[in-house]
Amino acid sequence: MVLSGRDKPKVTTNRTVIRWVEQIAELTRPDRIYWCDGSEREKDELTAQALASGEVEALDPYKLPGCVLHRTAQNDVARTEGLTFICTSGKEDAGPTNNWMAPDQAYKKLGAIFEGSMAGRTMYVIPFIMGVPGSAFNKIGVELTDSIYVVLNMRIMTRMGRVAWDELGDSSDFTRCLHGKADLSLDRRFICHFPEDNTIWSVGSGYGGNVLLGKKCLALRLASHMGRREGWMAEHMLILGLEDRKGKITYIAAAFPSACGKTNLTMLIPPVTQPGYRVWTVGDDIAWMRIGPDGRLWAVNPEAGFFGVAPGTSKKSNPNALKTVRKNTIFTNVVKTPQNMVWWEGLDADTPAEGIDWKGEHWTVDSDQPGAHPNARFTTPASQCPCISPEWENPQGVPISAVIFGGRRARLAPLVYQSFDFQHGVFVGATMASERTAAQYGKLGEVRRDPMAMLPFCGYNMADYFQHWLDMGGKISQPPLIFHVNWFRTDQKGELLWPGYGENIRVLEWITERCAGQGKAHKTPIGYVPADGALDLSGLDLPEEVAQELLRVDCQDWLEELAQLKQFFAKFDDRRLPAEIKAELDALAKRLEQ
Ligand code: GTP
Ligand code: SPV
Ligand code: MN
């Protein structure tokens, strides 16, 4: 098919792009093709269309200027990991933790669903940059989609439009991203990654992580694959700068599984008891890290916005996020109040007596159902964040002094501990586990192993991924120190022991002290924990026995954990699992038995 008339692009002359768009249009047969330029005028026009079609709803234009509300289909509210595939020619290259489909089979299967699926619809062509224009870190993608909601989100989450066409020029080096809503049915929903073709096909969903293909699909699954080939790392990590009392800034990257606190930590406001400290946000979800000329690890945030969890976000827990979302924000699956404002569980303020819930139904405060879906989200420009780091768009990135791994563990993991060295730190990351949240389909609360918070996002065999971490460690002359945190330890009654949120600064303080060669620690079989009195708990109403319980390492519990770790690692081909991981496993066993 050759594009003619209004379907022809005015924004690019890139032959590879045009030919590919023609091919996909032949398959999906949209009524028209719209080439995005990223302008404000385009935003206004598309928003007006989306309002007219009901795809988004208006909100109070004075209190929430530029904001709209969207509801997804009720069967489409989180990532569907079971329907997400890595399509490499060899099954082993996807590894035992990924779903695999042969590439030709996947193209055929999804092709049949895509066929004619855009009839009566517009296909939007969205060029985007993951990264900062002009940075050596960048990857460029072009997403074809029949969802105007996707276009509006991609505008916020990526550098999109003319800037990306310019950056791409005539090059054929871009990720081919195809998304179609089709009929949104679960049995015709697939999210397929083709790392060997630099291609992503996603069909049958309209939910964030499944359809904003620059995010998890490109910036993590494909990018992790590229990073291994090219000698860098794509990680599910926030990036923050912690400014101390002397004005010195230490950059930290932290990997927590979905809905386990990355957005919150990266926007932390210290309590009044910890004056002089300040947290600067560089990124809240994804870090791309390379070794700099100085031998340190340098990180950039490839995204331009935050796709954050709404429930639980309040003036108390995350005031910076609340300030960020006051304008130009898309709210998905939250409550709409009669005043055309938004609300969600845990917002605290102005609980409405009634409203329209995430399902689009009338809801009252007495309902036994939540009004907002637990995985309701906001899409908001990072530039609006009051604590955005002046370095957040530095094309070189920021130098990382510490890496933190963490999960939700009601038991076992202490509030914080430090690995003995980099190799042991890789082991600590590889043995992470967390209780499942609403960010993905599956049984809530179930503890699952989630190495480096990358279980759902690693685009290749995870045994090779561990090896890549170890190889990188060997090449970094000043490797970051590696820590593990757990904000979610509970007592016998299931009550949280740690206040979390802003108080987490106390843990970050100890971490930066350790990076500076200070901060007292006590050696345990699993790593270094803060020595007595080394964590600043002043002004916190925390009984001494709770403080002790938070840092306690129970060898019996860890021996039980060890058995589960062995089971987990047994999934991998023994020849592929790095010897260093096995050696660390043995060493841990020895230390625990002593
Ligand atoms: P994704 O966007 O899914 O990758 O999630 P995230 O890791 O950015 O998680 P986020 O910061 O949005 O937090 C998710 C949930 O964890 C929210 O309901 C928060 O209120 C809660 N949470 C975050 N930090 C803390 C903490 O320090 N303590 C406790 N108890 N809960 C927290
Ligand atoms: C996550 O689930 O880790 C998210 C949200 O950051 S989504 O983009 O939907 O994957
Ligand atoms: Mn995430």
Side-chain angles (χ1 to χ4, degrees), residues 79 216 236 256-265 284-285 307-309 311-313 317-318 375 377 408 439 487-488 496 498-501 504:
R79 279 181 296 100
K216 305 299 186 176
H236 190 201
F256 307 155
S258 303
C260 289
K262 290 183 299 301
T263 303
N264 276 270
L265 190 66
D284 84 325
D285 200 49
F307 184 59
V309 177
T313 307
S317 66
N318 194 347
N375 193 37
R377 299 246 167 192
R408 263 175 208 268
W487 313 140
F488 300 92
L496 287 169
W498 179 247
Y501 301 101
N504 293 335

mmCIF file of all heavy atoms in Angstrom, residues 79 216 236 256-265 284-285 307-309 311-313 317-318 375 377 408 439 487-488 496 498-501 504, ligand 1:
data_model
loop_
_atom_site.group_PDB
_atom_site.id
_atom_site.type_symbol
_atom_site.label_atom_id
_atom_site.label_comp_id
_atom_site.label_asym_id
_atom_site.label_seq_id
_atom_site.Cartn_x
_atom_site.Cartn_y
_atom_site.Cartn_z
ATOM 1 N N ARG A 79 -0.758 -4.621 34.268
ATOM 2 C CA ARG A 79 0.003 -5.418 33.310
ATOM 3 C C ARG A 79 -0.404 -6.879 33.398
ATOM 4 O O ARG A 79 -0.703 -7.381 34.480
ATOM 5 C CB ARG A 79 1.506 -5.295 33.592
ATOM 6 C CG ARG A 79 2.136 -4.039 33.030
ATOM 7 C CD ARG A 79 3.615 -3.959 33.312
ATOM 8 N NE ARG A 79 3.874 -3.874 34.739
ATOM 9 C CZ ARG A 79 4.245 -4.875 35.519
ATOM 10 N NH1 ARG A 79 4.445 -6.072 35.012
ATOM 11 N NH2 ARG A 79 4.432 -4.689 36.801
ATOM 12 N N LYS A 216 7.947 -0.020 29.776
ATOM 13 C CA LYS A 216 8.468 -1.334 30.166
ATOM 14 C C LYS A 216 8.966 -2.119 28.958
ATOM 15 O O LYS A 216 9.963 -2.829 29.043
ATOM 16 C CB LYS A 216 7.399 -2.136 30.894
ATOM 17 C CG LYS A 216 6.803 -1.441 32.096
ATOM 18 C CD LYS A 216 7.825 -1.131 33.151
ATOM 19 C CE LYS A 216 7.111 -0.583 34.373
ATOM 20 N NZ LYS A 216 7.944 -0.326 35.501
ATOM 21 N N HIS A 236 15.002 -1.412 36.504
ATOM 22 C CA HIS A 236 13.723 -0.929 37.061
ATOM 23 C C HIS A 236 14.033 -0.153 38.345
ATOM 24 O O HIS A 236 13.777 -0.638 39.440
ATOM 25 C CB HIS A 236 12.827 -2.140 37.338
ATOM 26 C CG HIS A 236 11.411 -1.794 37.692
ATOM 27 N ND1 HIS A 236 10.582 -2.672 38.365
ATOM 28 C CD2 HIS A 236 10.654 -0.700 37.455
ATOM 29 C CE1 HIS A 236 9.392 -2.127 38.530
ATOM 30 N NE2 HIS A 236 9.404 -0.927 37.998
ATOM 31 N N PHE A 256 12.895 -1.346 43.398
ATOM 32 C CA PHE A 256 11.834 -1.994 44.160
ATOM 33 C C PHE A 256 10.823 -2.505 43.148
ATOM 34 O O PHE A 256 10.584 -1.831 42.136
ATOM 35 C CB PHE A 256 11.090 -1.022 45.090
ATOM 36 C CG PHE A 256 11.959 -0.209 46.020
ATOM 37 C CD1 PHE A 256 11.492 1.013 46.495
ATOM 38 C CD2 PHE A 256 13.199 -0.649 46.437
ATOM 39 C CE1 PHE A 256 12.263 1.780 47.366
ATOM 40 C CE2 PHE A 256 13.969 0.107 47.301
ATOM 41 C CZ PHE A 256 13.501 1.331 47.766
ATOM 42 N N PRO A 257 10.172 -3.636 43.408
ATOM 43 C CA PRO A 257 9.147 -4.125 42.476
ATOM 44 C C PRO A 257 8.009 -3.118 42.324
ATOM 45 O O PRO A 257 7.918 -2.148 43.073
ATOM 46 C CB PRO A 257 8.657 -5.414 43.142
ATOM 47 C CG PRO A 257 9.793 -5.851 44.012
ATOM 48 C CD PRO A 257 10.418 -4.582 44.509
ATOM 49 N N SER A 258 7.151 -3.376 41.359
ATOM 50 C CA SER A 258 6.033 -2.480 41.066
ATOM 51 C C SER A 258 5.207 -2.224 42.325
ATOM 52 O O SER A 258 4.927 -3.147 43.082
ATOM 53 C CB SER A 258 5.156 -3.090 39.987
ATOM 54 O OG SER A 258 5.950 -3.350 38.852
ATOM 55 N N ALA A 259 4.828 -0.963 42.507
ATOM 56 C CA ALA A 259 4.012 -0.529 43.638
ATOM 57 C C ALA A 259 4.652 -0.843 44.990
ATOM 58 O O ALA A 259 3.980 -1.211 45.941
ATOM 59 C CB ALA A 259 2.596 -1.120 43.550
ATOM 60 N N CYS A 260 5.971 -0.712 45.068
ATOM 61 C CA CYS A 260 6.670 -0.927 46.328
ATOM 62 C C CYS A 260 7.432 0.302 46.801
ATOM 63 O O CYS A 260 8.276 0.209 47.693
ATOM 64 C CB CYS A 260 7.612 -2.122 46.221
ATOM 65 S SG CYS A 260 6.711 -3.687 46.149
ATOM 66 N N GLY A 261 7.178 1.473 46.194
ATOM 67 C CA GLY A 261 7.699 2.690 46.814
ATOM 68 C C GLY A 261 8.752 3.487 46.060
ATOM 69 O O GLY A 261 9.369 4.371 46.655
ATOM 70 N N LYS A 262 8.969 3.245 44.767
ATOM 71 C CA LYS A 262 9.985 4.028 44.046
ATOM 72 C C LYS A 262 9.580 5.492 43.910
ATOM 73 O O LYS A 262 10.364 6.392 44.228
ATOM 74 C CB LYS A 262 10.242 3.429 42.642
ATOM 75 C CG LYS A 262 10.964 2.086 42.671
ATOM 76 C CD LYS A 262 11.269 1.554 41.285
ATOM 77 C CE LYS A 262 10.045 1.297 40.442
ATOM 78 N NZ LYS A 262 9.093 0.325 41.027
ATOM 79 N N THR A 263 8.352 5.743 43.441
ATOM 80 C CA THR A 263 7.916 7.129 43.254
ATOM 81 C C THR A 263 7.965 7.864 44.591
ATOM 82 O O THR A 263 8.422 9.007 44.676
ATOM 83 C CB THR A 263 6.499 7.168 42.656
ATOM 84 O OG1 THR A 263 6.512 6.444 41.428
ATOM 85 C CG2 THR A 263 6.046 8.601 42.395
ATOM 86 N N ASN A 264 7.522 7.184 45.639
ATOM 87 C CA ASN A 264 7.532 7.823 46.960
ATOM 88 C C ASN A 264 8.937 8.162 47.424
ATOM 89 O O ASN A 264 9.191 9.259 47.910
ATOM 90 C CB ASN A 264 6.848 6.913 47.990
ATOM 91 C CG ASN A 264 5.350 7.094 47.970
ATOM 92 O OD1 ASN A 264 4.816 7.924 48.680
ATOM 93 N ND2 ASN A 264 4.671 6.351 47.111
ATOM 94 N N LEU A 265 9.873 7.232 47.269
ATOM 95 C CA LEU A 265 11.219 7.484 47.795
ATOM 96 C C LEU A 265 11.917 8.593 47.013
ATOM 97 O O LEU A 265 12.625 9.421 47.591
ATOM 98 C CB LEU A 265 12.055 6.194 47.741
ATOM 99 C CG LEU A 265 13.380 6.285 48.494
ATOM 100 C CD1 LEU A 265 13.142 6.435 49.999
ATOM 101 C CD2 LEU A 265 14.260 5.074 48.227
ATOM 102 N N ASP A 284 11.766 8.059 38.484
ATOM 103 C CA ASP A 284 10.984 7.289 39.466
ATOM 104 C C ASP A 284 10.745 5.836 39.078
ATOM 105 O O ASP A 284 10.112 5.099 39.821
ATOM 106 C CB ASP A 284 9.635 7.972 39.737
ATOM 107 C CG ASP A 284 8.582 7.588 38.705
ATOM 108 O OD1 ASP A 284 8.945 7.401 37.521
ATOM 109 O OD2 ASP A 284 7.399 7.457 39.080
ATOM 110 N N ASP A 285 11.272 5.401 37.902
ATOM 111 C CA ASP A 285 10.923 4.030 37.510
ATOM 112 C C ASP A 285 12.016 3.300 36.733
ATOM 113 O O ASP A 285 12.150 2.101 36.883
ATOM 114 C CB ASP A 285 9.647 4.054 36.660
ATOM 115 C CG ASP A 285 8.936 2.703 36.602
ATOM 116 O OD1 ASP A 285 8.721 2.102 37.666
ATOM 117 O OD2 ASP A 285 8.609 2.252 35.492
ATOM 118 N N PHE A 307 4.407 7.768 35.606
ATOM 119 C CA PHE A 307 3.148 7.021 35.523
ATOM 120 C C PHE A 307 2.991 6.377 36.890
ATOM 121 O O PHE A 307 3.388 5.246 37.114
ATOM 122 C CB PHE A 307 3.242 5.984 34.388
ATOM 123 C CG PHE A 307 1.975 5.228 34.138
ATOM 124 C CD1 PHE A 307 0.801 5.883 33.792
ATOM 125 C CD2 PHE A 307 1.943 3.844 34.232
ATOM 126 C CE1 PHE A 307 -0.380 5.173 33.552
ATOM 127 C CE2 PHE A 307 0.770 3.132 33.985
ATOM 128 C CZ PHE A 307 -0.388 3.799 33.644
ATOM 129 N N GLY A 308 2.453 7.158 37.828
ATOM 130 C CA GLY A 308 2.528 6.777 39.238
ATOM 131 C C GLY A 308 1.240 6.199 39.790
ATOM 132 O O GLY A 308 0.145 6.471 39.287
ATOM 133 N N VAL A 309 1.376 5.420 40.868
ATOM 134 C CA VAL A 309 0.232 4.845 41.573
ATOM 135 C C VAL A 309 -0.500 5.974 42.312
ATOM 136 O O VAL A 309 0.120 6.697 43.093
ATOM 137 C CB VAL A 309 0.708 3.811 42.616
ATOM 138 C CG1 VAL A 309 -0.460 3.254 43.416
ATOM 139 C CG2 VAL A 309 1.509 2.690 41.957
ATOM 140 N N PRO A 311 -3.600 5.638 44.438
ATOM 141 C CA PRO A 311 -4.033 5.357 45.808
ATOM 142 C C PRO A 311 -2.876 5.417 46.794
ATOM 143 O O PRO A 311 -1.776 4.947 46.503
ATOM 144 C CB PRO A 311 -4.610 3.940 45.710
ATOM 145 C CG PRO A 311 -5.089 3.840 44.302
ATOM 146 C CD PRO A 311 -4.064 4.602 43.495
ATOM 147 N N GLY A 312 -3.142 6.015 47.941
ATOM 148 C CA GLY A 312 -2.094 6.149 48.951
ATOM 149 C C GLY A 312 -1.292 7.436 48.797
ATOM 150 O O GLY A 312 -0.538 7.793 49.691
ATOM 151 N N THR A 313 -1.433 8.123 47.667
ATOM 152 C CA THR A 313 -0.704 9.376 47.470
ATOM 153 C C THR A 313 -1.469 10.490 48.172
ATOM 154 O O THR A 313 -2.606 10.795 47.808
ATOM 155 C CB THR A 313 -0.566 9.707 45.971
ATOM 156 O OG1 THR A 313 -0.009 8.583 45.303
ATOM 157 C CG2 THR A 313 0.312 10.926 45.762
ATOM 158 N N SER A 317 1.835 11.529 52.664
ATOM 159 C CA SER A 317 2.785 10.529 52.175
ATOM 160 C C SER A 317 3.678 11.075 51.066
ATOM 161 O O SER A 317 4.867 10.810 51.030
ATOM 162 C CB SER A 317 2.052 9.283 51.678
ATOM 163 O OG SER A 317 1.279 9.576 50.536
ATOM 164 N N ASN A 318 3.102 11.847 50.143
ATOM 165 C CA ASN A 318 3.912 12.336 49.012
ATOM 166 C C ASN A 318 3.401 13.679 48.481
ATOM 167 O O ASN A 318 2.819 13.756 47.394
ATOM 168 C CB ASN A 318 3.952 11.288 47.890
ATOM 169 C CG ASN A 318 5.033 11.599 46.857
ATOM 170 O OD1 ASN A 318 5.583 12.710 46.838
ATOM 171 N ND2 ASN A 318 5.339 10.645 46.003
ATOM 172 N N ASN A 375 -4.774 -0.022 41.453
ATOM 173 C CA ASN A 375 -3.679 0.295 40.527
ATOM 174 C C ASN A 375 -4.027 1.522 39.663
ATOM 175 O O ASN A 375 -3.516 1.679 38.559
ATOM 176 C CB ASN A 375 -3.355 -0.909 39.641
ATOM 177 C CG ASN A 375 -2.033 -0.746 38.881
ATOM 178 O OD1 ASN A 375 -1.065 -0.199 39.411
ATOM 179 N ND2 ASN A 375 -2.000 -1.188 37.628
ATOM 180 N N ARG A 377 -3.777 5.228 38.287
ATOM 181 C CA ARG A 377 -2.485 5.900 38.041
ATOM 182 C C ARG A 377 -2.678 7.338 37.586
ATOM 183 O O ARG A 377 -3.739 7.710 37.079
ATOM 184 C CB ARG A 377 -1.722 5.143 36.953
ATOM 185 C CG ARG A 377 -1.404 3.686 37.322
ATOM 186 C CD ARG A 377 0.047 3.436 37.467
ATOM 187 N NE ARG A 377 0.337 2.152 38.095
ATOM 188 C CZ ARG A 377 1.545 1.822 38.534
ATOM 189 N NH1 ARG A 377 2.549 2.653 38.428
ATOM 190 N NH2 ARG A 377 1.752 0.650 39.102
ATOM 191 N N ARG A 408 8.776 -5.886 49.505
ATOM 192 C CA ARG A 408 7.792 -5.934 50.581
ATOM 193 C C ARG A 408 7.929 -7.268 51.262
ATOM 194 O O ARG A 408 7.529 -8.291 50.691
ATOM 195 C CB ARG A 408 6.385 -5.934 49.972
ATOM 196 C CG ARG A 408 5.701 -4.642 49.887
ATOM 197 C CD ARG A 408 4.381 -4.802 49.155
ATOM 198 N NE ARG A 408 4.100 -3.531 48.523
ATOM 199 C CZ ARG A 408 3.377 -2.569 49.090
ATOM 200 N NH1 ARG A 408 2.792 -2.768 50.250
ATOM 201 N NH2 ARG A 408 3.205 -1.422 48.479
ATOM 202 N N ALA A 439 -0.251 -4.000 40.970
ATOM 203 C CA ALA A 439 0.313 -3.503 39.703
ATOM 204 C C ALA A 439 0.356 -4.574 38.629
ATOM 205 O O ALA A 439 0.615 -4.285 37.474
ATOM 206 C CB ALA A 439 1.708 -2.930 39.922
ATOM 207 N N TRP A 487 10.814 -1.623 53.910
ATOM 208 C CA TRP A 487 9.996 -0.688 54.705
ATOM 209 C C TRP A 487 8.790 -1.411 55.312
ATOM 210 O O TRP A 487 7.989 -0.805 55.994
ATOM 211 C CB TRP A 487 9.445 0.457 53.862
ATOM 212 C CG TRP A 487 10.342 1.200 52.912
ATOM 213 C CD1 TRP A 487 9.998 1.617 51.657
ATOM 214 C CD2 TRP A 487 11.681 1.680 53.128
ATOM 215 N NE1 TRP A 487 11.037 2.305 51.076
ATOM 216 C CE2 TRP A 487 12.084 2.361 51.954
ATOM 217 C CE3 TRP A 487 12.578 1.595 54.193
ATOM 218 C CZ2 TRP A 487 13.346 2.948 51.816
ATOM 219 C CZ3 TRP A 487 13.826 2.170 54.052
ATOM 220 C CH2 TRP A 487 14.197 2.841 52.888
ATOM 221 N N PHE A 488 8.619 -2.691 54.984
ATOM 222 C CA PHE A 488 7.311 -3.324 55.205
ATOM 223 C C PHE A 488 7.305 -4.435 56.250
ATOM 224 O O PHE A 488 6.404 -5.251 56.295
ATOM 225 C CB PHE A 488 6.772 -3.858 53.861
ATOM 226 C CG PHE A 488 6.594 -2.775 52.818
ATOM 227 C CD1 PHE A 488 7.615 -2.478 51.915
ATOM 228 C CD2 PHE A 488 5.426 -2.027 52.749
ATOM 229 C CE1 PHE A 488 7.466 -1.467 50.958
ATOM 230 C CE2 PHE A 488 5.266 -1.020 51.802
ATOM 231 C CZ PHE A 488 6.289 -0.741 50.909
ATOM 232 N N LEU A 496 2.664 -2.644 60.633
ATOM 233 C CA LEU A 496 3.966 -2.207 60.143
ATOM 234 C C LEU A 496 4.825 -1.704 61.305
ATOM 235 O O LEU A 496 4.343 -0.964 62.163
ATOM 236 C CB LEU A 496 3.805 -1.081 59.125
ATOM 237 C CG LEU A 496 3.279 -1.463 57.738
ATOM 238 C CD1 LEU A 496 2.936 -0.212 56.955
ATOM 239 C CD2 LEU A 496 4.299 -2.306 56.985
ATOM 240 N N TRP A 498 7.735 0.014 60.791
ATOM 241 C CA TRP A 498 8.486 1.215 60.391
ATOM 242 C C TRP A 498 7.527 2.250 59.817
ATOM 243 O O TRP A 498 6.670 1.898 58.981
ATOM 244 C CB TRP A 498 9.547 0.812 59.357
ATOM 245 C CG TRP A 498 10.384 1.931 58.844
ATOM 246 C CD1 TRP A 498 10.383 2.420 57.567
ATOM 247 C CD2 TRP A 498 11.348 2.707 59.567
ATOM 248 N NE1 TRP A 498 11.285 3.446 57.449
ATOM 249 C CE2 TRP A 498 11.894 3.650 58.662
ATOM 250 C CE3 TRP A 498 11.795 2.710 60.898
ATOM 251 C CZ2 TRP A 498 12.874 4.574 59.043
ATOM 252 C CZ3 TRP A 498 12.759 3.622 61.268
ATOM 253 C CH2 TRP A 498 13.298 4.547 60.345
ATOM 254 N N PRO A 499 7.637 3.519 60.216
ATOM 255 C CA PRO A 499 6.690 4.523 59.720
ATOM 256 C C PRO A 499 6.835 4.815 58.212
ATOM 257 O O PRO A 499 5.876 5.227 57.567
ATOM 258 C CB PRO A 499 7.020 5.761 60.553
ATOM 259 C CG PRO A 499 8.388 5.544 61.099
ATOM 260 C CD PRO A 499 8.557 4.069 61.236
ATOM 261 N N GLY A 500 7.989 4.576 57.658
ATOM 262 C CA GLY A 500 8.167 4.718 56.205
ATOM 263 C C GLY A 500 8.106 6.143 55.687
ATOM 264 O O GLY A 500 8.306 7.109 56.436
ATOM 265 N N TYR A 501 7.852 6.268 54.395
ATOM 266 C CA TYR A 501 7.733 7.559 53.705
ATOM 267 C C TYR A 501 8.876 8.509 54.095
ATOM 268 O O TYR A 501 10.032 8.131 53.991
ATOM 269 C CB TYR A 501 6.352 8.167 53.950
ATOM 270 C CG TYR A 501 5.258 7.229 53.466
ATOM 271 C CD1 TYR A 501 4.538 6.422 54.357
ATOM 272 C CD2 TYR A 501 4.971 7.125 52.106
ATOM 273 C CE1 TYR A 501 3.551 5.544 53.900
ATOM 274 C CE2 TYR A 501 3.983 6.246 51.646
ATOM 275 C CZ TYR A 501 3.278 5.468 52.552
ATOM 276 O OH TYR A 501 2.322 4.610 52.103
ATOM 277 N N ASN A 504 12.002 7.471 55.875
ATOM 278 C CA ASN A 504 13.013 6.654 55.188
ATOM 279 C C ASN A 504 14.324 7.422 54.998
ATOM 280 O O ASN A 504 15.363 6.825 54.737
ATOM 281 C CB ASN A 504 12.485 6.169 53.834
ATOM 282 C CG ASN A 504 11.325 5.184 53.992
ATOM 283 O OD1 ASN A 504 11.213 4.526 55.029
ATOM 284 N ND2 ASN A 504 10.467 5.089 52.991
HETATM 285 P P1 GTP B 1 5.445 1.351 40.115
HETATM 286 O O1 GTP B 1 5.048 2.640 39.483
HETATM 287 O O2 GTP B 1 4.395 0.293 40.003
HETATM 288 O O3 GTP B 1 6.761 0.843 39.617
HETATM 289 O O4 GTP B 1 5.491 1.589 41.717
HETATM 290 P P2 GTP B 1 6.493 2.346 42.706
HETATM 291 O O5 GTP B 1 7.598 1.420 43.088
HETATM 292 O O6 GTP B 1 6.873 3.667 42.170
HETATM 293 O O7 GTP B 1 5.605 2.512 44.034
HETATM 294 P P3 GTP B 1 4.957 3.812 44.714
HETATM 295 O O8 GTP B 1 5.986 4.768 45.221
HETATM 296 O O9 GTP B 1 3.936 4.353 43.798
HETATM 297 O O10 GTP B 1 4.252 3.179 46.000
HETATM 298 C C1 GTP B 1 3.286 2.170 45.887
HETATM 299 C C2 GTP B 1 2.537 1.977 47.172
HETATM 300 O O11 GTP B 1 3.434 1.744 48.243
HETATM 301 C C3 GTP B 1 1.688 3.185 47.546
HETATM 302 O O12 GTP B 1 0.429 2.728 47.975
HETATM 303 C C4 GTP B 1 2.459 3.809 48.675
HETATM 304 O O13 GTP B 1 1.617 4.483 49.564
HETATM 305 C C5 GTP B 1 3.165 2.623 49.332
HETATM 306 N N1 GTP B 1 4.447 3.036 49.948
HETATM 307 C C6 GTP B 1 5.440 3.736 49.365
HETATM 308 N N2 GTP B 1 6.445 3.994 50.227
HETATM 309 C C7 GTP B 1 6.098 3.432 51.401
HETATM 310 C C8 GTP B 1 6.725 3.345 52.688
HETATM 311 O O14 GTP B 1 7.821 3.847 52.937
HETATM 312 N N3 GTP B 1 6.041 2.659 53.657
HETATM 313 C C9 GTP B 1 4.832 2.096 53.407
HETATM 314 N N4 GTP B 1 4.236 1.442 54.401
HETATM 315 N N5 GTP B 1 4.205 2.162 52.213
HETATM 316 C C10 GTP B 1 4.826 2.819 51.216
#
